[in-house]
Amino acid sequence: MAEAWQRQSPLARRSPMDDDTGAGLAMTEREFLAKITVRGKVADDAIRDALGIALPGEPNTACSGKDHAILWLGPDEWLVVGPPDTEKELVSTLATALPDAAVIDVTEGYATIRLGGPLAREVLSMGTPLDLHPREFAAGAATRTLFARTTVILHKISDDPVFDIHVERSQAEYLWTWLETASRPYRDALR
Amino acid sequence: MMLIPCPWCGDRLDAEFTCGGEAHIMRPDPATASDAEWADYLFMRENPKGLHHERWFHAHGCRRWFHMTRDTASHRIVAVYAITESAPEASG
Amino acid sequence: MQSWRNSTGGIIDRSRRLSFTFDGRRLAGHPGDTLASALLANGIHLVGRSFKYHRPRGIVGSGVEEPNALVRLGEGGAVEPNARATTSELFDGLVASSQNRWPSLAFDVGALNSVASGLIPAGFYYKTFMWPAKAWTFYERFIRRAAGLGQAPEEPDPDVYEKRFAHCDVLVVGAGPAGLQAARAAAPAPAGVRAAPAAGRSGARVILADEQAVPGGSLLAEHVTLDGVPGQDWPESVRTELASMTDVTLLTRTTVAGYYDHNFLVAVERLTDHLPSGESPLPRQRLWKIRARHVVLATGAIERPLVFPGNDRPGVMLGSAVRAFANRWGVRCGARAVVFANNDSAYRSAIDAADSGIHVTTIVDCRAAPRGRLVEEAHSRGIDVLAGSVIAGVEGRKRVRGVAISTLDGSTPAAARKECDLVMMSGGWNPTVHLASQSGTRLAWDESLATFIPGDAASHQTSVGAAAGTFGLVECLTSGALAGTDAAARAGFDGEAPPVPEVDDDTGDGALDLEAFWHRPASPRDGKAFHDLQNDVTTADVALATRENYVSVEHFKRYTTTGMGTDQGKTSNVNGLAILAGHVGSSIPGVGHTTYRPFYTPVTIGALAGIDTAGELYDPVRRTPMHAWHAANGAHFEDVGQWKRPYCYLREGESVEEAVERETRAVRTGVGILDASTLGKIDVQGKDAAAFLDRLYTGTFSTLAPGRCRYGLMCHDDGMVFDDGVTARIADNRFLVSTTTGGAATVLNWFEEWLQTEWWDLDVHMTSVTTQWAAIAVAGPESRDLVSGLTTTDLSSDAFPFMTWRDADIAGIPGRIFRISFSGETGYELHVPASYALSLWQILMMAGERHAITPYGTEAMHVLRAEKGFIIVGQDTDGTTTPHDLGMSWLVSKKKPDFLGKRGLRRPDTLREDRKQLVGLLTDDPQVVIPEGAHVSPEPEAKPPVPMEGWVSSSYMSPNCGHSIALALIRRGHDRMGESVAIPLEDRTIRARIVKPVFFDEEGARLRG
Amino acid sequence: MKYSLWNLLRQAPRGHRDWPQAWRNPEPKEAYDVIIIGAGGHGLATAYYLAKEHGISRTAVLEKGWLGGGNTGRNTTIVRSNYLWDESAHLYEHSLRLFETLSQDLNFNVMFSPRGVINLAHNEHDLKELRRRGHACRLNGIDYEMVTPREIKEIAPIINISRSIRYPVLGGAMQRRAGNARHDAVAWGLARRADELGVDIIQNCEVTGIDVRDGRVTGVQTTRGAIRANRIGAVPAGHASVVASMAGLRLPVESHALQAMVTEPVKPVLDTVIMSNTVHVYISQSDKGELVLGAGIDGYNSYSQKGGINVIEHQLEGLCELYPIVSRLKIMRVWGGIVDIAPDASPIISKTPIEGFYINCGWGTGGFKATPGSGWVFAHTIAQDRPHRLNEAFDLGRFESGLLIDEHGAAAVAH
């Protein structure tokens, strides 16, 4: 029976949204990214040794390396994001490196939407009370925040208006529909 | 729509938080507390008009509880302090 | 023919013609027009009927203050009732009609009210319609029909709306001269022009919002030059300047309507209301929710009408409005005008009106000796000035024909009669203090202006310009610039005030030289004098309210309805207060003022709702990974919290009841599968995890061995049950807690609250894994057979007993198997990572074909658990139920020194023996199902109130028992086994016997077998 | 002068010159038999029934602002009695019956309009709750009927009963005898009648202290001097804790801002009152034509009479799907009141540990409907120094003994 199964990502039923004009909005699901919650006492050195990147110590920030990003979510909570299909090894690496912390695989618990394009900030501002001006929310900023009727983890991944949004799996379709609907008039206007 | 200074995340809209009501209510020893003392702990509240020490939870953010002193009439926020701390004296 | 339109002047585009209709009449106007200016250009003054007396009413103002000219705009679903003609921009094809009249505007049957007006003074309805008793509903029907203004739409709204948050350092409200200067000053300068931006920062972020289509405010209605540029053009040059700056947002057609705590303001931007429908794909309106570090309120001022008999006749207008129509729109509001004034600004209006071609014959000035340059200028235009005089009456019904003038002291009544078709009234100015007041800023009385101005600011805000009672243009420009610099500085940015433009203003320094005139007592024969035009409130009503002691300002407002119309009293409040003060012999500040509440002008519901209204966007629909399969296979869904769960799966031709019965049977006879993914799951780990759970649950988890599961109840500290579920010990320091579907978030927050606020010394961490793991319950006598085919794990009862769990490969998927059961059958709950769940479900369905596997929904689950007497928190409990009431004392630890609820369970009323306790009920007639929620009564035949001693919480026809079953909470129920009870219904009484709440496999052989 | 059509007719030609004051503005006396703190509807009703039913008219009603200015003048005017628990049902039913004849009793038209109140169910759980409440109401003699979506649509054509909306209407429960009344008129009518019976209503008189000697009250300190009385009934609504603290008491209530709003007036579109707990929407149409909408409470303690816009937004988001025609109507005015909420969402009408000091509070979001009933039982409690059968269960002691009257289901947000 071993090969009978298939994995289905939370937004497998939605087609990505392209930004043909380059003036609008692109939206895709980033499937199966490994996502690990780390809670408790975490030594910066241990993380550096394990993943080669620093542990974000400041609220509203993230540290990124080639393969991984670590997002500060709370004074004793981080989200480690890694390439697809690496969650098992990531859990074991982290659990070994961080004996005093709780390391929980939440890969399947969250969906990740990448939103980018000139309209991205505007559309996000329709849902979150967070100030997304580059002065306040620059590349590398990350936080959990309110978004419309749900909670998201927002991560600005570059100087360009490109964001990764992690949302609880069961609400992924809601968020997708919401972003699609909110941006529709502007996408229509670009047609 | 208050702007609440989360001790961790900084200023955030009040809708990201849950208010946990009056702070510094001691849970009495259940073995010795009288019915009246237990009722006092469970239900009785200062509910002042003016400065109020209260507990807040950044539910949509860092998910930390903290203390805040706020004027219930003007909604002015006077102090924010750790959940493990007792009320700052200056703020009454 | 726009016969009242001048051939030059104003900021309209005469090269284009826009066609529109009013009450079916086809008319024309120009881009730049409002509906009001276009109507007036066509000579139309009569636009509506008043609320109470149905008196003919004309356009009074030129902006948001308009009390009368409320019309219905649009057609079909896209209609808008009660739209102000004065702020509705004209577009080609606009359709407008008048309201509150039948059959027509010119002939309105409702005007009979006017004839009977003597009978219906303020508050008349409180004094009558009381006979016969209960007849009010009869009278009410007629009153309701007569009341109301416009007609609500009858079809759904075709438009969409949008909301967004914005953040800025400085928000400037109002783009008049003061606001424009404030924005220029606060805005970051283009590099090298003014102060360098602060280190590392680009400069202050500025939002400038104005309700009009173009910036400029009062400048648009005046004849001045700024730096040699006409005042009507200067704002456009500032707009260009601001547009070149980063981080400056100029929002036109945007009304800031609400001012909330900590400088959070709400504004509505009208994106497409000025366009023919379908021309733009953008939302109709956009709600801005703005957080500003500092707010500059440059909201201007609104001219005050004067109160005199007949002041509501069409053709009686605000002087400033006549001036605006002339200067901005090139429209003459009449041929022959009389001005009624108590201050100098009236003269500016008179002069501009005269210059626009209106024959202004007379200024009736209540001041004894008006003097100064403006007065002389009026004289020079041949305008008579009658000092110390007032208008004592107005002739004409649907249009002013003339006025009667008397001396102020009344010594010479009817001193003169002047023919005119236009009366311009000018009673001084009320600063637009609404937003300041909403923010909590107290208002102060300014004696020289005879009005309220903002007092000390309650938040980081500055009122400036006319909004602060400053009326000179140069002063407005200067103080605006200062306010802008100051605001930026307070937000942490250095700036330099922009230069104040050189003003060539031949109309004076803004001093009003006002002498307050509120009203002069007149006899009813002179006609009604209105201080509130929209709500038809007269000076006689004020007198009556005073006489009856409704003199507290709020009583006065409510009794007379002053200021309670759609205009929210913009033109009526101060006049009303002043007249009231006169009656009670108090000063106006002594009387006080009512509170300004949101919104400044009415806000469209659609805009406040945004896109979060339809279907899934109103509230997220949470779906499990198998949702699509359920939907494709006949699932009849129910809402459980935000989740959609299959209630049952309908086969073709099957009813819901039949499906539930089939599914219920299948689980007891073969095998069923249930999507249990929605149950809450919390990963709890840390050295003190066990101790932590011991404090939260009534039972004990520290004694649970890894690999085992235990059911637990959770109470609040008052001892009342609030959630339940099975907890598995994963490792010494790790547990997996399950919660009810609806309780997942609440329980996690409850855990966090206790950990962080009371027990922070414990080493525990919680993480929700509800959506990480999908769960499939496999239940039924053939469940072991089915599952064992998919895993190498030994499922035999010895190796894998009831209430244990194992890591396992399930069809090649790494997961966990829990030997737990809510159905009372042999059963397994399979947990796999969510993305594999749909596959596993399909594999099970395939592998289960030979067992006739049946997917079952929540209702079959409910029946199955009720057969076993398992409770559902929230259905068999109600917030007043203890574990003991549920017969679950065995779950309440006696050994633990403390847990949440322990002390609460020892209070006198929680210890009582006559509490309502959970029992089973078997009906005498086994085929009768008691309705859920029915109550048990010891005296079913009694007349109401019938005594009640409990209620039925769960009740089903059990196909497996072959009879109906019910769970009930009945007073002293545990001691009453075997007793017969009565359940009185509307039409019959059901008899039943109290039994233990378990109806199937009492020994649990199937569960454990 | 009696309020009647006849007298209106007689006054019309005289310009209504002869109507007397609706109530006096008396100076406070040195002492009264009873002092009522708070001239809201409940306080005025207490004074009225003390005089009418118990012959006690040496009463002062002290009001820090203007009579009827608190929650009495700020609510959405719903009157109903379809409560779950016997204790509540009996109390609210008594009040509803008093409402039915209140206009005649007071000779002041309070416009009680039994236009019916419908509670909507949007899921299976709602339906179960409504049915349970329905069975209880029937046995308590309170009219209550389950109505189908189609029946609801007939009664209120503007409602959307499509099954495809987020929270479809699965059914509802209707109390036909319920409805609404004009809130100001209730306060004014009670004030006028109480005043006629000799009660001194003293406005702009804030109580600043309560004098307690040897465990019993002796009077109050006010901004207009000291006033003596051996019996003091406090009915201060949102300010209950503030007043109780003057007597050294803590109460099991917390004060929150509750908002409501009206649209611009339109011609009649809705003839009944419709409430929904799940969607947090309740709606009726005033006689003036405004749609009257109740919002929820803010989640934090507040005495500001001003709530957050997010509560309003959420309200209207739900409204638009249930009543699609409202989308283009405009909200004219939003206001707030301070409601004092007890842990079991039931009121407290009780004696206190201080002799002669009585408290009536905790009405939360739904006190208006109880106005006459609350005054009636409170007057009895003060006059007899013991609760009436109808308010026995609503005493302070329940918080100690644990016998709460949990009306969260009935109350939720939508009173």
Side-chain angles (χ1 to χ4, degrees), chain C residues 118 140 159 547 615 619 909, chain D residues 16 115 166-167 321 328 401:
Chain C
E140 191 184 34
D159 286 315
R547 210 171 292 137
D619 200 25
D909 275 314
Chain D
H16 298 274
R115 53 179 70 176
R166 181 67 182 89
Y167 289 111
E321 191 164 52
R328 294 180 90 88
S401 71

Side-chain angles (χ1 to χ4, degrees), chain D residues 161-283:
Chain D
I161 56 166
S162 156
R163 288 299 293 245
S164 61
I165 66 176
R166 181 67 182 89
Y167 289 111
V169 176
L170 299 187
M174 182 168 195
Q175 184 179 20
R176 290 189 191 270
R177 284 163 56 234
N180 39 26
R182 169 94 191 121
H183 53 10
D184 288 332
V186 171
W188 298 343
L190 284 165
R192 173 168 166 266
R193 202 62 195 107
D195 178 87
E196 274 175 13
L197 294 170
V199 172
D200 282 357
I201 301 164
I202 304 161
Q203 304 184 74
N204 299 309
C205 179
E206 182 173 358
V207 172
T208 55
I210 295 175
D211 302 328
V212 181
R213 201 172 305 140
D214 302 330
R216 61 165 303 132
V217 287
T218 57
V220 296
Q221 303 294 321
T222 77
T223 48
R224 294 171 69 176
I227 309 174
R228 283 182 286 112
N230 290 329
R231 281 182 282 181
I232 297 173
V235 206
H239 284 70
S241 297
V242 175
V243 170
S245 73
M246 295 177 195
L249 294 179
R250 292 212 304 166
L251 294 175
V253 295
E254 290 193 282
S255 300
H256 292 261
L258 172 71
Q259 298 179 84
M261 65 205 123
V262 290
T263 66
E264 295 181 342
V266 287
K267 293 293 177 191
V269 291
L270 180 63
D271 299 332
T272 186
V273 183
I274 306 184
M275 317 179 25
S276 162
N277 282 2
T278 299
V279 186
H280 301 300
V281 165
Y282 49 120
I283 180 171

Side-chain angles (χ1 to χ4, degrees), chain C residues 34-290:
Chain C
T34 62
L35 175 59
S37 66
L39 285 169
L40 289 169
N42 285 279
I44 295 173
H45 277 254
L46 174 64
V47 287
R49 288 278 173 167
S50 70
F51 190 79
K52 184 171 167 186
Y53 301 125
H54 288 247
R55 286 165 69 108
R57 288 287 165 82
I59 295 160
V60 170
S62 58
V64 289
E65 73 282 5
E66 176 60 37
N68 281 346
L70 302 178
V71 298
R72 175 180 168 105
L73 293 180
E75 291 169 299
V79 298
E80 178 186 350
N82 306 334
R84 285 180 304 271
T86 50
T87 56
S88 303
E89 290 178 53
L90 197 69
F91 56 82
D92 203 41
L94 179 142
V95 176
S97 47
S98 56
Q99 308 186 136
N100 201 30
R101 82 287 186 275
W102 185 86
S104 75
L105 186 57
F107 179 77
D108 174 22
V109 168
L112 281 172
N113 282 2
S114 206
V115 179
S117 68
L119 246 185
I120 52 174
F124 73 97
Y125 29 74
Y126 300 126
K127 296 192 172 89
T128 181
F129 306 127
M130 287 178 280
W131 185 89
K134 299 198 176 180
W136 166 244
T137 40
F138 171 79
Y139 299 114
E140 191 184 34
R141 212 171 315 146
F142 297 97
I143 289 176
R144 290 187 62 198
R145 253 182 248 164
L149 277 170
Q151 204 92 36
E154 281 159 17
E155 295 161 43
D157 190 343
D159 286 315
V160 295
Y161 300 84
E162 173 191 308
K163 302 197 275 197
R164 60 171 72 173
F165 290 95
H167 305 259
C168 64
D169 298 303
V170 179
L171 169 67
V172 181
V173 185
L180 285 170
Q181 281 290 89
R184 291 176 81 198
V193 177
R194 282 203 305 274
R201 299 219 157 176
S202 61
R205 283 190 279 162
V206 177
I207 296 177
L208 170 61
D210 190 277
E211 63 195 2
Q212 303 214 39
V214 289
S218 60
L219 289 172
L220 303 175
E222 291 177 7
H223 281 145
V224 293
T225 58
L226 294 146
D227 283 343
V229 179
Q232 292 180 332
D233 299 337
W234 185 77
E236 202 47 46
S237 68
V238 177
R239 183 212 277 262
T240 312
E241 176 189 337
L242 292 175
S244 72
M245 300 170 175
T246 51
D247 287 334
V248 176
T249 310
L250 173 62
L251 302 173
T252 53
R253 300 188 174 97
T254 303
T255 306
V256 180
Y259 200 142
Y260 294 84
D261 285 335
H262 304 179
N263 271 0
F264 188 87
L265 294 94
V266 169
V268 190
E269 182 178 11
R270 292 168 293 279
L271 295 167
T272 67
D273 276 350
H274 62 291
L275 300 173
S277 77
E279 195 167 296
S280 164
L282 293 187
R284 178 182 173 221
Q285 297 181 0
R286 174 189 289 153
L287 192 80
W288 289 85
K289 298 185 274 186
I290 305 167

Side-chain angles (χ1 to χ4, degrees), chain C residues 725-936:
Chain C
V726 170
T727 291
R729 193 162 196 166
I730 304 297
D732 273 346
N733 291 341
R734 188 167 188 183
F735 292 83
L736 181 68
V737 167
S738 74
T739 74
T740 59
T741 296
T746 318
V747 171
L748 180 61
N749 289 348
W750 176 250
F751 282 14
E752 283 288 2
E753 180 175 350
W754 282 97
L755 180 66
Q756 291 185 37
T757 69
E758 291 287 328
W759 305 326
W760 57 76
D761 51 326
L762 296 187
D763 176 13
V764 184
H765 293 288
M766 276 88 65
T767 303
S768 167
V769 289
T770 301
T771 50
Q772 165 74 15
W773 297 96
I776 302 172
V778 184
E782 295 175 39
S783 58
R784 180 177 292 125
D785 195 18
L786 171 63
V787 177
S788 60
L790 299 174
T791 181
T792 53
T793 303
D794 182 355
L795 297 183
S796 70
S797 261
D798 293 340
F800 199 161
F802 181 55
M803 293 306 262
T804 61
W805 73 274
R806 302 282 180 267
D807 278 319
D809 252 37
I810 311 160
I813 305 163
R816 291 167 176 163
I817 301 178
F818 295 78
R819 175 97 199 266
I820 55 178
S821 170
F822 194 41
S823 58
E825 283 303 316
T826 306
Y828 301 89
E829 211 171 277
L830 314 180
H831 287 206
V832 293
S835 66
Y836 299 88
L838 176 61
S839 263
L840 178 60
W841 182 275
Q842 286 165 329
I843 290 167
L844 282 164
M845 284 305 296
M846 243 183 319
E849 257 174 38
R850 63 193 169 87
H851 304 277
I853 189 169
T854 304
Y856 65 102
T858 52
E859 188 62 2
M861 173 185 85
H862 286 176
V863 179
L864 291 162
R865 65 88 205 178
E867 289 174 347
K868 291 290 297 175
F870 297 154
I871 61 151
I872 292 181
V873 172
Q875 178 167 345
D876 303 299
T877 67
D878 67 4
T880 64
T881 316
T882 70
H884 302 301
D885 297 341
L886 295 170
M888 294 191 185
S889 302
W890 55 276
L891 273 173
V892 181
S893 165
K894 294 189 181 64
K895 291 192 193 132
K896 289 193 293 181
D898 190 14
F899 58 84
L900 296 184
K902 183 179 171 86
R903 179 62 185 81
L905 289 170
R906 289 206 332 265
R907 294 177 298 157
D909 275 314
T910 45
L911 289 171
R912 283 159 68 133
E913 285 172 2
D914 63 346
R915 292 181 60 82
K916 287 177 188 154
Q917 295 163 336
L918 187 80
V919 294
L921 288 180
L922 284 179
T923 50
D924 290 1
D925 177 345
Q927 294 311 308
V928 167
V929 181
I930 313 171
E932 277 179 2
H935 293 257
V936 176

